[in-house]
Amino acid sequence: MSLAAEAFVSQIAAAEPWPEKATLYQPLKEDQILLSDSASSLAVQTFLRMCGLPVQVSCCANAEYMSPSGKVPFIHVGNQVVSELGPIVQFIKAKGHSLSDGLDDVQRAEMKAYMELVNNMLLTAELYIQWCDDYTATEISRPRYSSPYSWPLNHILAYQKQWEVRRKMNAIGWSGKNLEQVYEDVSQCCQALSQRLGTQPYFFNKQPTELDALVFGHLFTILTTQLTNDELAEKVKSYTNLLSFCHRIEQTYFKEDKGSRSV
Amino acid sequence: MAEPMELLCWGGDWDLPSVHTDSLIVLAYAKFSGAKLAVKSIDWTWRTITASVPQLHYEASTVTEPTQILNFLRKQRFNADYELTAKQGADTMAYIALLEEKLRPALLHTFWVDADNYANLTRPWFTSHSPFPLNFFVPGRQASLALSRILLTKAESPLLNITEVEGKIYSEAKECLNLLSHRLGNFHFFFGDTPTSLDAFVFGHIAPLIKAPLPSGQLQKHLNQLDNLCQFCNTILKNYFNASAEKRTDCSPTAIHDPVDANLQKLTQLVNKESNLIEKMDDNLRSSPQHRPHRH
């Protein structure tokens, strides 16, 4: 959408209150969804819970194709569809709910910088591990991604997705890295987050912001997803304040689901 | 150190030591941390198409990519980030990620994809700095790499057209520049009074944008309104690069050492003379009967 159209849409969005039947769409939870999509989806759900906005999670096999930008998750609110955490945060801000209003300019700059760090390092590393590491791609990613479809569509879609991700990795210069270097990058990213968090309850002291939602989404998913080996989870586990951060947010915002999740 | 480290990078123009962002980052960091680099420009050599620039050669090893090179320099104990706290180190990583995600696509677009700039500035410059027959290929290859990077990272599936992505990447870049300006405030550098690796990264990204004579530069206009960032760039150029701009053209490093040695010798001789003189005066005073009580 052009910028003018986006501004127009957010004007309309501001006029309506949050409806009862807002829905969040993601791929099938048990069989299809992969690590990176699950992390993004959890980040959005956490953000909505932090804002106190109710949303129903609906799992569809073709969520990726329904999304306006091709990425999951996306939310369907009233008669608008918005995908990805960044635009969703802006959309909700237009409706009058915001978690980062109390921050001054320098803090807001820091928050955006850290969100980019997570996107740049953690998300890219997750994509790399899923699709560029041959063993993981063959054992986990391709079978899961194409599970709802029958032959030969499952092969075609899985290879197409893998090719797309590999092209992107090539363009940003990650294709020359090996798995060890990627784990090292994840470790450095976690170290930076851990140092920034320190002993505070949230990244910007007492109030959670979208950065907390994003970090929680990624770290919790890494800790609770079974991959071919546990090295990624081990890297995160070595930072105790990040573990307690995840625990705290899980306890505060996901209390009623406690039975189905465990770290 | 047996021999100096050698850095391959693109040449300089428009008052800058190099026109290439990544090379500028490494050059700036080397100045900040006091590392002596023998800078070799790849202009007019076949390396314009074969080498991935910047490239650091030391003894037998080769390192590419600014982050890897900075890590290597740190291991060699040239560390400009020594005095940063853990939190500041974490902030550095975050801001560098911000620059890469938000500012770099717009910079690539301004220099390589925007038709006006590419035809009138970038392509002629790179063509004139590449040897025949590479001058036909080098700019085109860089331009297509830049375009594919922008499309793959920023264009989501409905926005496959570059024109639709343009608006988005420029607005993100302007926001990023504003954020950097807020963070810098009135200080000279991002973390106090000494420059660090974050300053090197920011300098490398914004210096070409400030100094290049772009025919159509909406991002440049926006950056020129942010006074503190322009000031920051000029301060670094003045303090760290002007003095060495003349020295870089001097190819023999020994010629620089000789005047230093001669000065040192003269100084030593003067000091010796002074101390002899003082000893003589001291002896005279000791032996003089009149001044003895004053000496206590």
Side-chain angles (χ1 to χ4, degrees):
Chain A
M1 268 198 287
S2 71
L3 292 174
E6 268 182 32
F8 183 61
V9 162
S10 39
Q11 287 279 48
I12 299 181
E16 301 167 350
W18 189 263
E20 286 296 322
K21 283 200 314 188
T23 332
L24 181 143
Y25 289 90
Q26 63 172 37
L28 301 172
K29 200 149 133 184
E30 289 307 316
D31 303 316
Q32 189 192 19
I33 198 167
L34 291 173
L35 179 60
S36 50
D37 295 334
S38 180
S40 309
S41 174
L42 184 58
V44 172
Q45 285 177 47
T46 315
F47 178 71
L48 290 173
R49 282 186 193 229
M50 285 174 176
C51 291
L53 299 170
V55 72
Q56 287 171 347
V57 177
S58 165
C59 298
C60 304
N62 58 344
E64 211 180 354
Y65 301 105
M66 284 201 278
S67 157
S69 70
K71 299 213 173 87
V72 288
F74 66 94
I75 56 174
H76 178 206
V77 176
N79 58 358
Q80 270 134 35
V81 181
V82 192
S83 66
E84 289 192 82
L85 186 64
I88 289 178
V89 169
Q90 280 182 337
F91 177 75
I92 289 182
K93 196 163 167 186
K95 285 217 179 279
H97 304 270
S98 172
L99 292 178
S100 53
D101 274 341
L103 301 178
D104 63 25
D105 285 330
V106 175
Q107 285 177 317
R108 194 165 290 130
E110 263 189 52
M111 182 184 77
K112 293 226 155 99
Y114 275 97
M115 283 175 79
E116 285 310 320
L117 179 67
V118 173
N119 277 330
N120 206 354
M121 288 239 167
L122 277 185
L123 184 61
T124 319
E126 286 165 8
L127 282 173
Y128 181 94
I129 292 171
Q130 282 168 206
W131 293 106
C132 296
D133 174 35
D134 285 324
Y135 187 57
T136 316
T138 321
E139 293 291 317
I140 297 182
S141 314
R142 286 206 297 268
R144 277 186 75 97
Y145 183 76
S146 55
S147 56
Y149 307 109
S150 59
W151 191 87
L153 190 59
N154 53 358
H155 280 294
I156 298 174
L157 288 178
Y159 277 105
Q160 187 185 48
K161 177 79 175 169
Q162 182 170 338
W163 183 72
E164 240 180 72
V165 173
R166 286 197 178 180
R167 260 183 81 199
K168 183 173 165 182
M169 292 293 143
N170 224 348
I172 56 177
W174 275 59
S175 53
K177 294 195 184 190
N178 60 20
L179 207 52
E180 283 310 311
Q181 285 171 327
V182 172
Y183 285 137
E184 188 52 43
D185 282 341
V186 169
S187 195
Q188 279 188 2
C189 180
C190 291
Q191 190 183 34
L193 290 171
S194 173
Q195 282 164 352
R196 177 67 180 83
L197 182 62
T199 49
Q200 297 170 343
Y202 299 109
F203 277 94
F204 289 96
N205 211 5
K206 306 249 179 6
Q207 293 300 326
T209 55
E210 45 263 34
L211 175 62
D212 302 279
L214 183 64
V215 173
F216 172 72
H218 281 275
L219 294 184
F220 192 79
T221 319
I222 290 177
L223 289 169
T224 51
T225 306
Q226 275 283 13
L227 286 175
T228 51
N229 60 13
D230 285 331
E231 234 184 286
L232 197 57
E234 290 303 316
K235 296 280 177 198
V236 176
K237 277 188 193 154
S238 54
Y239 298 99
T240 45
N241 62 347
L242 292 180
L243 277 183
S244 48
F245 169 80
C246 287
H247 248 114
R248 196 180 312 121
I249 294 198
E250 191 201 357
Q251 295 295 324
T252 321
Y253 294 102
F254 290 91
K255 269 198 295 280
E256 57 274 21
D257 293 350
K258 217 163 64 165
S260 55
R261 293 175 189 273
S262 58
V263 178
Chain B
M1 196 140 19
E3 54 186 58
M5 298 183 268
E6 195 182 68
L7 179 74
L8 293 173
C9 62
W10 279 101
D13 201 354
W14 320 316
D15 284 343
L16 295 173
S18 171
V19 303
H20 183 224
T21 293
D22 288 340
S23 312
L24 267 179
I25 292 172
V26 177
L27 286 170
Y29 184 80
K31 287 271 181 278
F32 298 158
S33 61
K36 297 262 176 302
L37 292 181
V39 180
K40 235 159 95 171
S41 104
I42 59 170
D43 297 2
W44 300 292
T45 67
W46 281 82
R47 288 211 180 99
T48 44
I49 207 146
T50 52
S52 93
V53 175
Q55 224 178 71
L56 186 72
H57 291 291
Y58 181 58
E59 284 164 5
S61 54
T62 305
V63 194
T64 56
E65 300 268 316
T67 356
Q68 306 284 354
I69 296 180
L70 260 58
N71 282 341
F72 182 80
L73 286 174
R74 278 193 207 110
K75 284 197 193 108
Q76 301 289 324
R77 300 208 220 106
F78 291 111
N79 193 354
D81 297 342
Y82 193 65
E83 291 173 0
L84 294 183
T85 64
K87 181 177 171 305
Q88 287 174 328
D91 281 351
T92 305
M93 275 188 78
Y95 277 104
I96 291 176
L98 185 72
L99 280 174
E100 285 292 319
E101 276 289 314
K102 301 275 183 186
L103 192 54
R104 190 175 281 254
L107 282 181
L108 285 176
H109 188 277
T110 307
F111 281 96
W112 295 100
V113 182
D114 179 290
D116 228 350
N117 291 336
Y118 180 61
N120 294 330
L121 183 70
T122 324
R123 196 175 57 193
W125 195 94
F126 279 88
T127 309
S128 61
H129 282 77
S130 309
F132 181 82
L134 293 180
N135 52 354
F136 295 117
F137 303 115
V138 166
R141 187 162 160 273
Q142 301 262 24
S144 62
L145 281 176
L147 183 63
S148 71
R149 180 174 169 154
I150 296 175
L151 284 179
L152 284 175
T153 53
K154 288 291 166 186
E156 296 143 354
S157 33
L159 296 172
L160 284 176
N161 193 347
I162 187 69
T163 47
E164 286 155 345
V165 185
E166 272 172 22
K168 182 172 158 208
I169 58 180
Y170 276 110
S171 68
E172 281 186 350
K174 285 178 188 163
E175 199 195 324
C176 176
L177 289 173
N178 290 344
L179 290 175
L180 285 173
S181 183
H182 284 309
R183 177 65 182 77
L184 183 60
N186 287 330
F187 295 104
H188 282 299
F189 300 108
F190 278 90
F191 294 116
D193 283 329
T194 47
T196 57
S197 49
L198 178 59
D199 301 286
F201 268 89
V202 175
F203 174 73
H205 281 87
I206 65 177
L209 194 57
I210 292 181
K211 294 286 179 184
L214 293 166
S216 94
Q218 44 156 323
L219 197 58
Q220 192 180 46
K221 288 200 192 76
H222 184 90
L223 180 55
N224 283 332
Q225 290 168 354
L226 297 170
D227 285 330
N228 60 353
L229 287 179
C230 296
Q231 191 67 22
F232 165 78
C233 183
N234 287 330
T235 313
I236 292 185
L237 277 173
K238 199 170 65 156
N239 292 341
Y240 292 93
F241 285 105
N242 258 350
S244 66
E246 295 91 32
K247 275 191 190 163
R248 272 187 64 220
T249 56
D250 185 3
C251 5
S252 58
T254 52
I256 305 175
H257 285 300
D258 279 343
V260 171
D261 280 344
N263 282 341
L264 195 57
Q265 276 181 349
K266 280 192 204 156
L267 200 58
T268 324
Q269 283 170 353
L270 267 173
V271 167
N272 284 340
K273 276 192 203 159
E274 283 262 67
S275 60
N276 286 341
L277 213 54
I278 289 173
E279 268 183 348
K280 277 195 191 151
M281 280 169 60
D282 206 49
D283 282 343
N284 286 340
L285 281 173
R286 280 177 196 275
S287 52
S288 149
Q290 280 169 312
H291 294 280
R292 206 170 297 142
H294 285 219
R295 288 202 55 243
H296 296 291

